[in-house]
Amino acid sequence: MSDARCITTYKNVTFNIENPGVDDIHAEDIAHALSLMCRAGGHFKRFYSVAQHSINCYREARARGLTARVQLAALLHDASEAYIADITRPVKALLPEYLRIEGALEQKILEKFDIGDLTCDERDAVRVIDNAMLACEFAALHAGGWPGGAPEMKANLDFTTRDMREVEVQFMNILNRLFGHGKRDEKEATAIGIDACNAVGVGNCKYGWVAVILTSSGGATLKPLQKIDEILNIKADVIIIDIPIGFMDAGNNERPGDKLARKMVGKRASSVFPVPCRRAIYAESYEQASLINKNSTGRGLSKQSWAIVPKIREVDEFLREYPHMRRCLIESHPELCFTALRCEPCEYSKKTPEGLSERKVALSRYLDTENLLAQNPFRKKDAGVDDILDAAVLAVTGILGLENGFRTLPENPPTDSEGLKMQMTLANLSGNAI
């Protein structure tokens, strides 16, 4: 590089440290770099990134009822470190030139995100949270702890070791909502949960899919879909679907995420169907599909799994035709999501009155289930109340994940021959709910 004052960023931007242009500052560069950068110069007991620290500061600002401006400032208070690295406080004090560059860069970043006019009181509010968070982090993550212990905080903070990519995505989601493309009010997040209509006799169904569209304020809309490609017309931050994405094409006879999910849902394990290989879902008959599946994975194909093959095929074809949707259309399982919300598996089958009741209770904290069910346009043979509640819990999982981050089963999911990840997605529930 010819200019010693410049770095090349993650997005391949030539960034002048001393005199950056506002257009050279990119949220993706900030989120990516901070998610890979360890706090405390790496002297914590385990990896904990600057991005995760920033998210915790945002959560605390939100929990204290501070404005969206201050929440955004809390999220971005260390954003300059994406370009000039995280240096420990004692060393910073000895580097006046670093402090000058840091201050100027911080101001330029705030201007980029439309909060360059922060008042002294607003800056002080962020500083107080940052200092308190440092004490909490040392109490939780440093072998020596913190003198006097951690201060009391209002937010439910997350100091666990998390996947760096998931933290990066969470940082971006929060930033996009708060910034709102130049608006200073927090932008609502939107998640869609999708469940298949009754697969048996699918040719006689008026609709193919049940979709619940949920906003971060709790507004829920029930929308029937004939084809999965109709989601292209709905704007959402994340879409979670109860249909397999990614397939074991040979060798191992089961996806690892299914094994873990079956274990977690306990007595509801039978609801996690064995997933066919990709070649089997394109077979012309059940007998042919079962033979292909047995030759590829070592096991046959149940009639139950074959019944949902048209839906699996539809989603697989959709993702092949629209590969950009792989970033936002992800797989989960309703029983797994209900287990996470309840902190235990559901006691009763979803087909029973008791089962419907316990699932409504689990959802009631996040949306008005009775209002949602009152929108029901489906005939009984198309979709039941349980299908709507399944789509609703997937949407709730999406909203919670956008706020608190997602985690997957397994943590490092394998990919299939098409590059699709084989994973079950859950919300990280260690943070605040809606």
Side-chain angles (χ1 to χ4, degrees):
M1 185 175 294
S2 58
D3 193 336
R5 296 170 300 176
C6 296
I7 65 169
T8 302
T9 70
Y10 170 64
K11 283 181 63 65
N12 203 31
V13 173
T14 300
F15 191 91
N16 188 312
I17 296 299
E18 290 193 291
N19 188 30
V22 171
D23 291 339
D24 292 332
I25 297 170
H26 295 277
E28 295 89 347
D29 280 334
I30 294 170
H32 183 76
L34 297 187
S35 70
L36 298 176
M37 195 176 296
C38 191
R39 282 274 287 173
H43 292 286
F44 281 154
K45 291 184 287 187
R46 56 183 182 272
F47 183 78
Y48 171 80
S49 70
V50 176
Q52 198 167 347
H53 159 78
S54 301
I55 291 168
N56 276 334
C57 288
Y58 148 75
R59 284 179 176 169
E60 183 62 20
R62 179 173 178 171
R64 294 185 183 193
L66 300 176
T67 64
R69 279 168 54 90
V70 177
Q71 293 174 35
L72 180 55
L75 183 72
L76 292 172
H77 75 281
D78 280 337
S80 64
E81 294 176 5
Y83 303 100
I84 57 177
D86 181 18
I87 297 179
T88 56
R89 290 188 180 189
V91 179
K92 280 185 182 182
L94 301 174
L95 302 174
E97 186 64 10
Y98 175 94
L99 292 173
R100 183 190 67 79
I101 294 172
E102 179 186 49
L105 184 51
E106 285 177 350
Q107 182 60 30
K108 193 67 68 77
I109 291 171
L110 294 179
E111 290 172 4
K112 167 75 175 187
F113 294 101
D114 199 29
I115 52 173
D117 59 343
L118 285 175
T119 67
C120 291
D121 286 344
E122 289 173 325
R123 292 174 187 269
D124 284 343
V126 174
R127 192 175 298 111
V128 167
I129 291 173
D130 187 29
N131 288 334
M133 198 65 64
L134 177 67
C136 291
E137 289 163 353
F138 266 78
L141 298 168
H142 195 274
W146 186 263
E152 185 175 347
M153 305 290 269
K154 291 186 177 295
N156 186 8
L157 304 173
D158 180 11
F159 299 121
T160 61
T161 299
R162 294 179 53 203
D163 178 81
M164 291 173 283
R165 174 59 181 162
E166 290 179 5
V167 173
E168 177 184 347
V169 170
Q170 183 186 5
F171 187 101
M172 280 295 300
N173 286 332
I174 297 169
L175 177 56
N176 286 336
R177 295 202 307 277
L178 290 172
F179 180 45
H181 302 290
K183 298 178 182 178
R184 289 184 175 177
D185 295 325
E186 184 172 358
K187 185 176 67 173
E188 278 200 326
T190 301
I192 303 177
I194 301 179
D195 190 44
C197 289
N198 295 323
V200 178
V202 67
N204 297 321
C205 285
K206 183 177 180 181
Y207 299 110
W209 303 91
V210 182
V212 170
I213 305 169
L214 182 64
T215 65
S216 51
S217 62
T221 303
L222 182 58
K223 185 174 180 63
L225 306 175
Q226 291 184 332
K227 297 293 182 181
I228 198 63
D229 60 10
E230 292 175 33
I231 62 174
L232 294 169
N233 302 320
I234 308 173
K235 187 175 181 180
D237 298 287
V238 68
I239 305 169
I240 304 184
I241 191 168
D242 177 24
I243 212 74
I245 297 174
F247 305 90
M248 301 297 300
D249 287 319
N252 196 339
N253 65 0
E254 188 171 19
R255 305 186 311 169
D258 296 331
K259 291 181 180 179
L260 292 169
R262 199 170 286 117
K263 182 177 180 180
M264 289 179 65
V265 301
K267 62 175 64 179
R268 306 268 74 83
S270 61
S271 67
V272 184
F273 299 165
V275 175
C277 67
R278 177 176 277 110
R279 287 180 58 234
I281 69 172
Y282 288 95
E284 295 182 357
S285 68
Y286 166 69
E287 292 74 18
Q288 183 186 28
S290 186
L291 180 61
I292 290 172
N293 206 65
K294 188 167 185 178
N295 290 337
S296 295
T297 67
R299 70 176 190 276
L301 189 65
S302 69
K303 289 287 184 71
Q304 196 175 31
S305 294
W306 175 248
I308 64 170
V309 158
K311 299 297 186 186
I312 300 174
R313 186 189 307 132
E314 184 180 350
V315 172
D316 189 56
E317 290 174 339
F318 172 76
L319 290 174
R320 286 171 145 184
E321 184 174 358
Y322 302 99
H324 70 279
M325 291 298 294
R326 298 179 184 188
R327 295 194 300 269
C328 61
L329 180 62
I330 54 180
E331 174 188 353
S332 192
H333 194 283
E335 290 301 326
L336 187 65
C337 297
F338 276 119
T339 298
L341 290 187
R342 301 177 73 249
C343 299
E344 62 180 356
C346 289
E347 181 69 22
Y348 303 100
S349 165
K350 67 178 184 178
K351 297 296 185 182
T352 66
E354 297 84 359
L356 294 176
S357 177
E358 66 180 346
R359 287 163 177 79
K360 289 179 183 178
V361 169
L363 290 169
S364 63
R365 182 182 175 190
Y366 308 101
L367 54 82
D368 185 340
T369 56
E370 295 306 318
N371 180 63
L372 179 68
L373 293 173
Q375 304 173 36
N376 188 357
F378 296 101
R379 300 172 300 180
K380 184 174 290 188
K381 71 175 185 176
D382 287 337
V385 171
D386 57 304
D387 298 310
I388 297 172
L389 297 183
D390 280 352
V393 77
L394 296 173
V396 167
T397 297
I399 287 292
L400 292 175
L402 289 170
E403 176 61 33
N404 302 318
F406 292 99
R407 60 191 180 99
T408 62
L409 303 179
E411 289 186 5
N412 297 301
T415 57
D416 68 7
S417 59
E418 291 289 323
L420 292 169
K421 288 185 177 181
M422 291 175 271
Q423 63 186 29
M424 291 284 187
T425 300
L426 284 171
N428 177 8
L429 297 183
S430 60
N432 296 331
I434 297 173

